Amino acid sequence: MIKDLLSRNQTWSEQRRAENSDYFENLSRLQQPEYLWIGCSDSRVPANVITGLEPGEVFVHRNVANLVHPTDLNMLSVVEYAVNQLNVKHIIVCGHYGCGGVRASVGGQRLGLIDHWLEPIREVADQQFRCLECGSWTDGELDKLCEASIISQVQRLARTPTMQAAWAAGKEVAIHGWVYGLKDGLLSDLCCTVRQIAD
Ligand SMILES: [Zn+2]
């Protein structure tokens, strides 16, 4: 029932106030998150919950399959604000095994607008794995494609004029690639951190 959400919210708010009467007062004054999270929209991968971060501690952008499109004004605005105004120190591009977007990208079916959205994953599949017409993918192969896509998105984000300008202005911000396991609830670092791109 949708009304349950409102009553749960009331309970949550009361609990927070009981723990600290200034909790919302303090939070409403400013946010100083150190992290920007770029993750998948999947309901099973909520940034705050899986990292144990409180409200105010992580700025969040989510889309299907955690992709970086250099023309995505929504994502670029989030990145620019996070880096230039909030001064986040870390950007985490986080994907997850069992991602429906990754699976759909190489599934061979035409689904509509989402096919355009998922193109960067097909590009990674085509360049790093095998031709897209070469039969179905096993779960293990999809996991590898998922990791490769995350690494590719880290690099794509690093190449955006937004990030290039931030680094040129001396901003100390790193971009990390992480993957989350739906089956064990664990995050892993894919060790593809970019602090400043060479070119
Ligand atoms: Zn996903």
Side-chain angles (χ1 to χ4, degrees):
M1 290 281 283
I2 192 96
K3 275 187 180 168
D4 289 346
L5 303 188
L6 297 174
S7 71
R8 277 192 225 172
N9 164 256
Q10 238 171 19
T11 308
W12 173 78
S13 169
E14 282 159 16
Q15 281 169 348
R16 289 292 162 124
R17 279 175 215 270
E19 288 161 14
N20 174 0
S21 56
D22 294 330
Y23 182 77
F24 292 106
E25 188 66 28
N26 292 340
L27 257 186
S28 67
R29 279 199 211 104
L30 85 166
Q31 59 166 341
Q32 284 181 310
E34 284 212 10
Y35 313 101
L36 164 62
W37 178 275
I38 299 177
C40 182
S41 299
D42 193 303
S43 63
R44 299 164 293 181
V45 196
N48 284 72
V49 177
I50 64 175
T51 53
L53 291 171
E54 293 293 321
E57 292 185 324
V58 58
F59 203 59
V60 174
H61 174 83
R62 290 167 69 178
N63 63 47
V64 173
N66 42 274
L67 295 178
V68 172
H69 282 264
T71 53
D72 179 357
L73 287 182
N74 181 356
M75 187 216 61
L76 290 174
S77 302
V78 168
V79 170
E80 190 177 85
Y81 184 73
V83 171
N84 293 339
Q85 305 298 320
L86 297 175
N87 295 309
V88 298
K89 297 281 177 277
H90 303 278
I91 300 174
I92 300 154
V93 177
C94 185
H96 64 102
Y97 297 127
C99 182
V102 172
R103 184 178 299 268
S105 72
V106 291
Q109 279 183 305
R110 290 210 185 280
L111 300 168
L113 198 53
I114 194 78
D115 297 325
H116 295 277
W117 182 256
L118 297 173
E119 185 55 30
I121 310 179
R122 265 194 295 279
E123 207 176 285
V124 171
D126 206 28
Q127 288 172 356
Q128 299 184 31
F129 293 84
R130 54 195 167 93
C131 85
L132 295 173
E133 284 75 38
C134 297
S136 57
W137 293 59
T138 65
D139 286 348
E141 288 172 326
L142 287 171
D143 285 351
K144 290 287 168 213
L145 176 58
C146 177
E147 292 172 0
S149 173
I150 295 163
I151 294 167
S152 171
Q153 305 318 307
V154 167
Q155 292 162 353
R156 283 159 70 95
L157 181 57
R159 284 196 296 268
T160 59
T162 309
M163 289 307 302
Q164 292 290 307
W167 282 319
K171 295 279 181 189
E172 286 183 16
V173 53
I175 310 173
H176 312 268
W178 289 2
V179 65
Y180 176 76
L182 292 176
K183 290 179 181 169
D184 59 12
L186 293 175
L187 285 163
S188 307
D189 188 347
L190 292 174
C191 299
C192 57
T193 299
V194 178
R195 290 195 162 76
Q196 185 135 21
I197 205 146
D199 56 13

